[in-house]
Amino acid sequence: MKNGAIQKTIGWRVYGSFILVFCVLAYLSFLSYQNAETLIIDTRSVDTNATFMYEIQGLISALRDAETANNVYVLIGKERLLEGYEEKVASLLSQVRKVQELDRRGGDPDLEKLIEAKISDMNLAATERKNHDLTRALQVFLTGRWHSISEK
């Protein structure tokens, strides 16, 4: 009898050990799955943020390029210099929309208005220069509104 009872006790201990190992393994598998899922979500978030930053940098670069082309035209007065300006202006508003779509906070509603105001001022300076009025073109440039829009 003692042998049978001992064998039963050992059997239950082995059986219980397997159950315990299985439970620990299942718990660790669950934790690993949760961590992998969190890592995937975080990676997507980082990717989205990187894309957003890339688009912002593209927008700022295009704005600076358009501003530089316009400034050179205002100072030198050769109309062939406006080609680069017109290309950049054409792409600016579509880039603003891309940035606003990627912005998780819903985008800045004033961003498009600020860019349009900047373009309007640059167009005004270019128009004054086309009319051979360098003084008025420079006044538009030096008013300060032009620069305050860039800072925002």
Side-chain angles (χ1 to χ4, degrees):
M1 272 227 158
K2 285 187 178 183
N3 278 344
I6 293 175
Q7 285 179 347
K8 255 187 186 177
T9 304
I10 292 175
W12 281 107
R13 285 184 184 173
V14 170
Y15 181 68
S17 297
F18 278 121
I19 290 175
L20 181 64
V21 168
F22 178 76
C23 289
V24 168
L25 184 63
Y27 179 71
L28 291 176
S29 297
F30 174 75
L31 286 179
S32 295
Y33 175 78
Q34 290 296 321
N35 288 337
E37 194 172 82
T38 302
L39 179 65
I40 290 169
I41 291 169
D42 290 345
T43 302
R44 287 182 187 150
S45 177
V46 167
D47 188 39
T48 302
N49 288 341
T51 304
F52 177 72
M53 293 301 294
Y54 176 77
E55 291 297 331
I56 286 277
Q57 289 171 347
L59 175 64
I60 291 170
S61 177
L63 188 59
R64 284 183 184 153
D65 289 348
E67 186 176 10
T68 301
N70 189 49
N71 292 348
V72 170
Y73 170 72
V74 167
L75 293 174
I76 296 175
K78 293 186 179 179
E79 289 203 28
R80 67 177 170 79
L81 297 171
L82 278 179
E83 291 173 9
Y85 167 72
E86 291 167 350
E87 290 173 10
K88 293 298 179 184
V89 166
S91 71
L92 276 174
L93 294 178
S94 66
Q95 285 182 306
V96 168
R97 288 185 196 99
K98 275 186 193 176
V99 166
Q100 287 177 329
E101 287 173 8
L102 290 171
D103 190 355
R104 285 191 230 156
R105 296 169 292 149
D108 184 358
D110 295 331
L111 181 62
E112 194 166 349
K113 292 176 188 173
L114 288 170
I115 298 292
E116 287 173 351
K118 177 110 174 145
I119 292 170
S120 174
D121 282 354
M122 290 189 297
N123 286 339
L124 180 60
T127 302
E128 294 297 337
R129 182 62 172 152
K130 280 182 185 177
N131 294 334
H132 305 292
D133 194 350
L134 178 60
T135 306
R136 288 189 65 185
L138 289 175
Q139 283 176 343
V140 170
F141 175 72
L142 296 173
T143 58
R145 177 177 164 207
W146 182 300
H147 300 292
S148 67
I149 291 171
S150 291
E151 292 171 6
K152 289 180 184 179

